[in-house]
Amino acid sequence: MATDPEFHERAAALPDREVDPGGAERPGLEAAIARQVRQYRVAAGLSVAEMAAQVGISKAMLSKIENAQTSCSLTTLGRLAAGLDVPVTALFRGVDDEREAVYVEAGHGARIVRRGSRVGHVYELLGALRGPHKRMEAVLVTLTESSEVFPLFQHPGTELLYMLEGVMVYGHGEARYTLRPGDALQFDGEGVHGPDELVELPIRFLSVTAYGDRIPA
């Protein structure tokens, strides 16, 4: 049994896709398990016969598992995981791995209008996920000019600010926070918040809002 520190790295470096002898990739849970079992077995330096003997199943059964030709019982999955010295969950890696993603190239984020949008106040949308159970919005804010009255915001969800450039005093409710590059501020979006003082321009910060299961108005 392979237990050296490089074992998992070798397994991860193997090809991600397992193809059946007929050349057609098999979808679903069986394909994911087949792919992972073979990757970990090869990384451990075991033949099909050696692995089958070590796990306590027949060579024919292991071959079927690795070719996604059968479904594994929980007992068999437990034996495979123990024989490969990995958690059972490692054998499910890649199941239903098609997830939504948003890629925005530098400088190509959509300009959005918000309260306070004006010359010198730029809000650049970097992406928003609107899945059934997770909703997140990321905005790059650039302030290059001061103003006498700063906009205040209120919205559902939790917001995270991360300062990239400049210095500003940011208010949340009655509290005030001086933010410099590298500083982060996380708060409840329901509380009134917004810039209170622009100390050192230009100012750039990343604003990430997670809305949970509530859809913002």
Side-chain angles (χ1 to χ4, degrees), residues 33-84:
I33 294 173
R35 180 170 56 245
Q36 292 304 103
V37 169
R38 176 169 291 192
Q39 286 181 358
Y40 282 120
R41 176 181 62 76
V42 173
L46 298 172
S47 67
V48 173
E50 291 170 336
M51 180 66 193
Q54 183 168 293
V55 173
I57 61 177
S58 69
K59 178 181 176 181
M61 175 59 71
L62 180 57
S63 178
K64 287 184 178 180
I65 291 172
E66 289 196 357
N67 286 287
Q69 295 173 346
T70 186
S71 298
C72 294
S73 67
L74 291 176
T75 299
T76 301
L77 284 173
R79 288 180 178 179
L80 289 169
L84 293 167

Side-chain angles (χ1 to χ4, degrees), residues 100-119:
E100 183 182 6
V102 178
Y103 170 73
V104 178
E105 190 176 354
H108 290 267
R111 296 291 177 90
I112 59 178
V113 176
R114 288 189 166 179
R115 283 182 297 165
S117 292
R118 55 187 290 277
V119 175

Side-chain angles (χ1 to χ4, degrees), residues 6-28:
E6 297 179 357
F7 171 61
H8 296 289
E9 293 183 10
R10 295 201 302 272
L14 292 171
D16 282 337
R17 297 188 177 274
E18 186 68 32
V19 179
D20 72 10
E25 186 181 350
R26 294 180 179 271

Side-chain angles (χ1 to χ4, degrees), residues 192-217:
V192 177
H193 56 277
D196 189 69
E197 180 183 356
L198 307 186
V199 179
E200 183 179 314
L201 294 168
I203 292 170
R204 292 173 65 245
F205 61 92
L206 180 65
S207 167
V208 179
T209 302
Y211 295 104
D213 290 331
R214 295 184 58 184
I215 300 176

